Amino acid sequence: MRSLAERSLDRDEILGWLREESPERLDELFAAADSVRKARVGDEVHLRGLVEVSNYCRRQCAYCGIRAGNSAVARYRMTAEEVLACAREAQDLGYGTVVLQAGEDPGIEAGWMAEVVRRIKAETGLAVTLSLGERDEDELRSWREAGADRYLLRFETSDRALFERIHSPAPGQVRSDRIAQLRSLRQIGYEIGSGVMVGIPGQSLGSLANDLLLFRELDLDMIGVGPFIAHPATPLGSNPLPLPPGAQVPSTEAMVYKVIALVRLVRPDANIPSTTALATVNRTNGRELGLSRGANIVMPNVTPVRYREKYEIYPGKACVNETAKACAVSLEGRISAMGRRVGAGPGGRYS
Ligand code: 5AD
């Protein structure tokens, strides 16, 4: 039988690993993921500077702290000059990519964003990743034409019934179809990224196995997974309704490592971040453990500190008070201590 690192996993095997509890067996899984990571994407860890452009959002996602219904959030939207300053800072820190993320904010107009993208490309040459929620196809096209390279949109779960339970449309809003949007982003010419939360109340092990198969089917370039973290000001934070134990995916650090390793095995060439949510549930070495079990990307925050605490999608987010510079220095140290190195250039799937 071919080794775990060489074989294409089927659904039953994926499920077996998700249920696996033996530390020795899990070490085999992690070692296989680490060796595939090394063989396919190398020892470089690419850093993407994350800019949280706006925390306005028209959606009502039941897990998310910046959902439209959370009136306790003080809303902000950065100016174009502020976004540009963050991009320059990312460039000064040696990052190859800037990620512009926001709530699904209609106040971010298509023409405004296209101009921001054009200026970042002209002034810094950085790769630009957008993560702005579900937007109209003509807007997505105009941003691609302006030079945006990649688009991130997590589908959160492939279980349609669960998806609808946690994403009830606001009055007058169309139902979401993030999987259809990912397919059209690919057609438009973006590198595409997606991912899921691990341990959403109501998420079954079977549906998580399906999520992994869908990562493969969608041919994703980037795949981010992190633990669900309950936010008290959201419906899922106050009234979670999980499945019975045994069926429910736990939102634990241990489960996230299994999923990261499995993602590497099902999508060997993908860029996989060791996420901030993971670093939040294990501040000591969550990032490092993610990087040693399949991940090859970190997304340090370059948002001005005064805005960061307002972008509270879940509570206790790691790095909220660190300046971009301090964060960069500490990351480089951690990465070289692992025998890895910070990657130069955009670090895309094709570059
Ligand atoms: N816990 C963990 N991750 C969350 N996200 C949003 N809310 C939470 C939460 N409460 C994740 C979603 C979203 C990404 C930007 O952050 O997966 O796509």
Side-chain angles (χ1 to χ4, degrees):
M1 180 121 164
R2 285 193 297 160
S3 79
L4 190 51
E6 293 164 339
R7 190 151 40 86
S8 178
L9 295 179
D10 65 23
R11 188 171 184 278
D12 284 344
E13 283 176 294
I14 291 173
L15 258 179
W17 283 115
L18 293 175
R19 294 203 177 98
E20 185 60 61
E21 299 283 346
S22 147
E24 293 77 29
R25 292 278 290 143
L26 288 172
D27 280 345
E28 277 173 50
L29 174 69
F30 299 148
D34 197 44
S35 82
V36 171
R37 186 271 309 153
K38 191 175 172 70
R40 305 295 282 261
V41 296
D43 279 336
E44 295 196 333
V45 176
H46 291 280
L47 305 181
R48 325 282 204 206
L50 177 67
V51 188
E52 293 158 337
V53 175
S54 157
N55 69 353
Y56 283 91
C57 192
R58 63 181 161 200
R59 294 276 169 193
Q60 288 290 11
C61 307
Y63 45 85
C64 183
I66 64 167
R67 66 203 300 272
N70 188 359
S71 54
V73 176
R75 305 283 169 172
Y76 72 88
R77 186 179 301 118
M78 288 169 64
T79 65
E81 285 310 323
E82 287 174 315
V83 179
L84 258 294
C86 293
R88 285 186 210 107
E89 167 136 47
Q91 184 182 35
D92 290 344
L93 294 169
Y95 304 164
T97 299
V98 71
V99 181
L100 308 183
Q101 186 174 84
E104 201 169 294
D105 175 8
I108 293 183
E109 288 165 4
W112 180 87
M113 183 49 79
E115 187 54 24
V116 168
V117 171
R118 252 182 243 113
R119 286 184 62 192
I120 294 176
K121 296 300 286 188
E123 292 179 32
T124 71
L126 294 178
V128 174
T129 302
L130 300 178
S131 178
L132 304 170
E134 293 172 72
R135 303 285 306 218
D136 291 342
E137 190 159 327
D138 51 344
E139 299 179 312
L140 298 170
R141 266 182 210 288
S142 73
W143 299 335
R144 175 77 189 123
E145 281 158 15
D149 302 276
R150 314 183 183 126
Y151 204 97
L152 300 179
L153 182 70
R154 288 192 180 177
F155 61 75
E156 316 294 0
T157 173
S158 59
D159 174 340
R160 187 70 213 176
L162 176 60
F163 184 92
E164 294 203 354
R165 246 189 348 266
I166 63 178
H167 297 100
S168 53
Q173 224 167 37
V174 284
R175 279 178 27 180
S176 297
D177 192 341
R178 295 188 179 185
I179 294 164
Q181 175 156 340
L182 283 163
R183 292 204 165 97
S184 89
L185 284 161
R186 159 76 79 221
Q187 284 245 306
I188 294 170
Y190 286 97
E191 279 188 39
I192 55 170
S194 192
V196 300
M197 284 178 291
V198 174
I200 305 167
Q203 183 183 46
S204 66
L205 289 164
S207 84
L208 185 54
N210 295 342
D211 297 346
L212 283 148
L213 296 174
L214 186 57
F215 293 156
R216 182 149 66 196
E217 185 193 320
L218 290 172
D219 190 27
L220 296 173
D221 304 299
M222 302 157 292
I223 301 162
V225 298
F228 162 74
I229 299 172
H231 190 303
T234 63
L236 280 186
S238 49
N239 183 23
L241 294 177
L243 299 174
Q248 170 67 43
V249 175
S251 59
T252 54
E253 188 191 349
M255 183 55 90
V256 174
Y257 297 133
K258 289 188 206 178
V259 178
I260 290 178
L262 290 166
V263 172
R264 175 59 68 200
L265 296 181
V266 299
R267 293 289 299 133
D269 297 326
N271 280 317
I272 302 175
S274 189
T275 55
T276 305
L278 178 57
T280 298
V281 295
N282 175 352
R283 283 167 190 271
T284 315
N285 64 349
R287 272 221 207 284
E288 284 91 332
L289 286 171
L291 288 172
S292 64
R293 294 170 173 179
N296 68 320
I297 301 283
V298 175
M299 295 167 67
N301 204 323
V302 295
T303 310
V305 172
R306 67 182 178 284
Y307 294 134
R308 273 195 225 174
E309 61 181 19
K310 300 189 170 72
Y311 202 86
E312 194 193 53
I313 50 188
Y314 49 81
K317 229 168 87 183
C319 290
V320 163
N321 295 311
E322 258 182 290
T323 63
K325 174 85 193 156
C327 192
V329 171
S330 103
L331 266 173
E332 288 216 38
R334 287 167 179 237
I335 289 165
S336 32
M338 295 178 71
R340 307 267 285 273
R341 57 184 183 278
V342 172
R349 186 171 172 198
Y350 311 105
S351 55

